[in-house]
Amino acid sequence: MVKRKVGALEKIDADLPNLQYKIRRDPVSYREDFLKQYNQYESQREIFLRAPSSATDAGIISLRDLIDFTSHVADCYPGITMSFPEELSQILTLHHKDLESELREKIVGSLVLLRRKEIIDSSVLLNTLFPLLISTPSKTLRTLLFQKVLSDLRTSNAKTTNHRLNRSVQTVLYNLLTSDRTSPKGIWAVKITRELWKRQIWTDSKAVEIMKEASLANNEKIVVGGVRFFLGGDKEREEMEDESSDDEGVDMGKLKHQMGINKKSKKKARVMENAVAAVKKKERRKKQPHPLNFSAFHLLHDPQGFAETLFSKHLQNTNSKLNLEQKLLVLQLVSRLVGLHKLTVISLYSYFIKYLTPRQPSVTSFLASLAQSTHSLVPPDVLEPLIQKIANEFVSEAAAAEIASAGLNAIREICVRQPLAMNDTLLQDLVMYRKSKDKGVMMAAKGLLSLYREVGADMLKKRDRGKEAAMGLRSGERKERRFGEEEAGEIEGIELLEQWKEEEMQRKRLEKALPADAGEDEQEEVEGEDDSDGWEAEEDDESDDSGGWVNVESDVEIEISDSEDDKRPAKKAKAASAQQETGDKENQVQKQQEVEKKISTLATSRILTPADLAKLQELRSEASINKALPASQRKRAAQQQAAQNRHVDDPLTAAEIEGLAALSKKASKADKIALARDGKADKSEHKSTQAKRKEQKDSQGKSTTNREKARKKNFLMTLGKAKSKQKHSLVERGRVLKAHVERGKRGGKRGNKGK
């Protein structure tokens, strides 16, 4: 049979991608061809809608191709395709259960493409996809719709925050949770909100209210999702931010080296341009102010009511369907709320009593939750039975060392937050465990002892108070804390910053051969030259007029008049008269008043710049650790300071309660070897110096030299060149050597000399 010749127009009709390409280039010339294909799409759609379940494979494939074609060129003929998005939404909404999987994915992708071309807006797309997300039984379709909904919300908030769209979507999610608290559909509200919170698209209180309602739902999965958001949502957001900053790292030195060595091409030039743009974008982002990302706990509208409802509904309620692990998560959330906001939920503490036994599963998590829920406004008589129960159950000579150290550590964490919960008799009994032979128990007891030397030395025996605590009690510096007493708020270490500023000003004046005592005008002139302190140049007049405390000599007097160092080495100081002691006390009181005056004046009369705050943090860290200590003691002091400076938002975990218990376990030989090897490089594979250099060059993107390449060349490939060299005449060898010398002067074949 002779093959029929296909005409040009028939080829265009059969090849939709080719027609699509031509329409994109010249829509006017191919209008009739598009109308023909669009009419064919309408006829296929009508045939499909008559019997969706009995459609043929050929009809489904044809409809799928026509939908794809029309969605790609719909922006070229907006008048003709005006009803096209609505028709796709109707097919997907009414027949999503009967649609073939590939056709269903094509319709969803076409709607997203129309949104990207701005033919439809986000509200139309989300109103079509979200009802299907919460109702369709297909798992693959739910996954696809979830990805498309998140992608559209991210795109809508990419350049600027779309507050109108965010409010409408948040209202839909909130109503989904509150309309039916037993329905499992609310899990999609939890997933969407948590993902957008992690990507810092939703950072307002409305998103937190959605997760609050999820935590109060009656469905177990929704409750756990909402609780996990509060316990770990902020950490996920920080990790996502760190990953995004790490991904943007571009090695410009490596790229420049490759561009100079490898062959030039347009593709590599584009790669270089993109790398330069990424580096510039990263630099711009560094200069931008850091966004204020508040924790979800701080955005709650009514934390007291939320904590009470959560506790009564999921923990106190005997009809609750949550298992022990889920109840433990809810308990951690309630304790975080109570400890962070200093709430009063008295019934919470009696709930802990039945779980405070070593035989209880996950008992360290219960101990950590109890310590988290303790704060300075909890009545001591409420906590005292709990501490007594922990001491009786955990801390005894018959208990295992791991249990005793965990109990002592839990008691210490509770007493850090409320020292008044401990009585004298129990404290003296617990302190005696510092003489235990077990290292974990000994360190836990010493930690409790060092705590009460700071906050309640009068409760200890005289021999346990230590030198500093005894002197503080004798001089009246350390007083007994009262219930509900709060320290006056101030900027910690502000006097260190002031002293540093004065020293810097003196140093600059000495460099310019000026007198150390600066006048007002000279002081402004010196401070005006410093970029970091430029904000304070106009405020020195006010600070001098307010009290006149900016005086270098006053600091010298404070240091000289401190008689504490003179008392230690000299034995004659013990026999000093009572008048001198009285004078010393008066001087100390006077110095303390001067320092307090100085601190308050500096804090209220100056505006601290970001550079000042950074320097203040550095000075605090330097002052917190005694540099004269040995390395081992300095490390321990640094660890104690880090534990004290732990942020109030950071949770107390079970691992921290078990921290000292690990010291009580006898390590095996394998554990000791692993501990010794920890932090050292792996020496299992021996490598020569040349191999290490090669690895380093490969990591830097550098190639091998021509001599190294020639050395590794196959021997059989070099035989022909060697034989031809042997047959060269004297004239040919001279020509080759001359060319070699000229090429060396020129800088090689590429002429790279001097570059």
Side-chain angles (χ1 to χ4, degrees), residues 569-732:
K571 296 183 179 179
K572 296 180 180 180
K574 296 181 180 179
S577 61
Q579 296 179 356
Q580 293 178 350
E581 293 180 358
T582 307
D584 291 341
K585 290 182 180 180
E586 292 177 357
N587 291 335
Q588 290 178 359
V589 173
Q590 185 177 0
K591 286 185 294 181
Q592 186 176 1
Q593 292 177 354
E594 291 177 358
V595 171
E596 290 178 356
K597 182 180 179 182
K598 183 183 297 186
I599 292 172
S600 62
T601 309
L602 181 63
T604 55
S605 63
R606 294 190 179 215
I607 299 176
L608 299 181
T609 65
D612 292 339
L613 296 176
K615 189 64 182 178
L616 177 60
Q617 184 65 26
E618 180 183 350
L619 294 172
R620 279 184 201 159
S621 60
E622 290 180 358
S624 61
I625 302 172
N626 188 4
K627 294 184 178 180
L629 292 174
S632 59
Q633 296 183 15
R634 195 183 310 162
K635 182 179 179 182
R636 187 181 303 172
Q639 293 175 352
Q640 293 177 356
Q641 187 68 24
Q644 292 176 0
N645 295 338
R646 185 174 58 192
H647 198 270
V648 68
D649 288 351
D650 296 338
L652 180 65
T653 60
E656 296 177 9
I657 297 293
E658 299 172 358
L660 297 175
L663 299 174
S664 301
K665 298 179 182 178
K666 292 184 178 180
S668 61
K669 185 177 180 180
D671 295 337
K672 292 179 181 178
I673 293 173
L675 184 62
R677 287 181 177 177
D678 189 20
K680 295 182 180 180
D682 188 12
K683 297 181 180 180
S684 59
E685 184 180 359
H686 175 74
K687 292 181 180 179
S688 63
T689 307
Q690 199 72 14
K692 292 179 181 178
R693 288 176 183 171
K694 185 177 181 301
E695 277 191 359
Q696 186 178 4
K697 291 176 73 174
D698 292 341
S699 63
Q700 295 174 356
K702 297 179 180 179
S703 180
T704 55
T705 61
N706 290 335
R707 183 173 296 178
E708 290 174 347
K709 291 175 182 175
R711 191 186 304 125
K712 293 183 178 181
K713 199 169 186 179
N714 191 0
F715 176 70
L716 295 175
M717 296 175 67
T718 61
L719 283 178
K721 189 173 183 180
K723 289 180 179 179
S724 63
K725 281 185 177 182
Q726 291 177 1
K727 296 177 181 180
H728 282 180
S729 65
L730 190 60
V731 177
E732 288 175 342

Side-chain angles (χ1 to χ4, degrees), residues 45-145:
R45 183 179 63 85
E46 291 177 359
I47 293 171
F48 175 79
L49 289 177
R50 289 175 185 174
S53 58
S54 61
T56 61
D57 294 340
I60 291 175
I61 293 173
S62 176
L63 179 61
R64 187 176 65 209
D65 294 340
L66 290 169
I67 288 174
D68 185 34
F69 165 75
T70 308
S71 61
H72 277 88
V73 297
D75 55 333
C76 298
Y77 309 102
I80 300 174
T81 60
M82 188 180 298
S83 60
F84 178 68
E86 186 178 353
E87 292 170 357
L88 292 182
S89 301
Q90 184 181 6
I91 294 173
L92 188 63
T93 304
L94 299 178
H95 307 288
H96 63 90
K97 296 181 180 179
D98 303 326
L99 287 175
E100 192 257 343
S101 60
E102 294 185 3
L103 178 59
R104 190 169 54 194
E105 292 178 5
K106 182 61 67 177
I107 293 175
V108 173
S110 299
L111 286 171
V112 174
L113 181 61
L114 294 175
R115 164 68 186 95
R116 198 177 302 155
K117 292 178 177 291
E118 297 184 354
I119 297 175
I120 59 175
D121 56 0
S122 292
S123 59
V124 175
L125 178 64
L126 295 176
N127 287 333
T128 304
L129 299 184
F130 189 74
L132 296 177
L133 176 64
I134 62 177
S135 61
T136 180
S138 174
K139 186 176 181 180
T140 56
L141 181 59
R142 288 199 303 265
T143 305
L144 177 65
L145 293 176

Side-chain angles (χ1 to χ4, degrees), residues 136-195:
T136 180
S138 174
K139 186 176 181 180
T140 56
L141 181 59
R142 288 199 303 265
T143 305
L144 177 65
L145 293 176
F146 180 67
Q147 293 175 354
K148 298 301 181 184
V149 168
L150 284 180
S151 177
D152 183 67
L153 288 171
R154 289 175 60 188
T155 306
S156 302
N157 292 274
K159 295 182 180 179
T160 56
T161 305
N162 193 340
H163 295 286
R164 183 177 181 182
L165 177 65
N166 292 342
R167 281 196 299 269
S168 61
V169 175
Q170 287 169 351
T171 304
V172 171
L173 299 181
Y174 185 85
N175 294 334
L176 179 65
L177 287 168
T178 55
S179 59
D180 187 5
R181 294 187 179 273
T182 59
S183 175
K185 296 179 180 180
I187 193 65
W188 294 107
V190 174
K191 289 183 177 180
I192 291 173
T193 307
R194 187 167 184 175
E195 191 68 24

Side-chain angles (χ1 to χ4, degrees), residues 304 338-346 349 373-383 414 416-421 481-487:
Q304 176 72 38
V338 172
L340 181 62
H341 295 282
K342 294 188 176 182
L343 308 178
T344 303
V345 185
I346 301 299
Y349 303 99
S373 61
T374 306
H375 53 85
S376 59
L377 299 181
V378 179
D381 54 351
V382 175
L383 295 174
I414 295 172
V416 163
R417 294 160 174 80
Q418 179 54 284
L420 300 177
R481 293 183 61 179
R482 298 181 179 179
F483 174 68
E485 182 180 358
E486 295 288 341
E487 296 181 357

